[in-house]
Amino acid sequence: DRLSCDHTGFAFSPDESYALCANTARGTIARLDLRTNNCESSKYTGFRRVKGVAIAPSGHFALVSDLDGRRIGHIDLASGAVSFPYGDCFEQPFSVCFAPSGEFALFS
């Protein structure tokens, strides 16, 4: 599959073996294997309009800003499970990034 449509956010895995790509138009997160160039365009779903994605420095999970959902998504990268444990507490989150230590993340 190819990366297409409206990609607004990218994040590299800590070992640089793959990247996650936020597809605003589809409301999905794609996973691009950087070693094989294989792209799973709808790997993670359940979002409305994603804008940003960040992978924790541990590589265990990613956070996703779901702009129209007014929420932050949590992706367990080992199981692929998508959840929204932080509730509806953000006013249209746009971007997300982790501190290098991984102790916290910031959203804009």
Side-chain angles (χ1 to χ4, degrees), residues 59-74:
H60 296 145
F61 68 97
L63 296 178
V64 178
S65 57
D66 189 0
L67 184 68
D68 286 353
R70 298 171 62 146
R71 59 192 178 175
I72 303 301
H74 182 278

Side-chain angles (χ1 to χ4, degrees), residues 18 31 43-44 59-62 74-83:
Y18 68 91
R31 185 182 189 282
K43 176 71 175 175
Y44 307 104
H60 296 145
F61 68 97
H74 182 278
I75 301 172
D76 181 313
L77 294 170
S79 70
V82 175
S83 63

Side-chain angles (χ1 to χ4, degrees), residues 12-83:
F12 288 94
S13 64
D15 66 358
E16 298 179 2
S17 64
Y18 68 91
L20 297 181
C21 311
N23 186 326
T24 300
R26 292 183 182 172
T28 61
I29 300 293
R31 185 182 189 282
L32 176 61
D33 185 313
L34 299 172
R35 294 183 176 136
T36 65
N37 290 326
N38 182 47
C39 178
E40 296 176 74
S41 62
S42 293
K43 176 71 175 175
Y44 307 104
T45 61
F47 306 100
R48 293 188 186 146
R49 190 167 67 136
V50 296
K51 283 293 184 178
V53 60
I55 298 172
S58 67
H60 296 145
F61 68 97
L63 296 178
V64 178
S65 57
D66 189 0
L67 184 68
D68 286 353
R70 298 171 62 146
R71 59 192 178 175
I72 303 301
H74 182 278
I75 301 172
D76 181 313
L77 294 170
S79 70
V82 175
S83 63

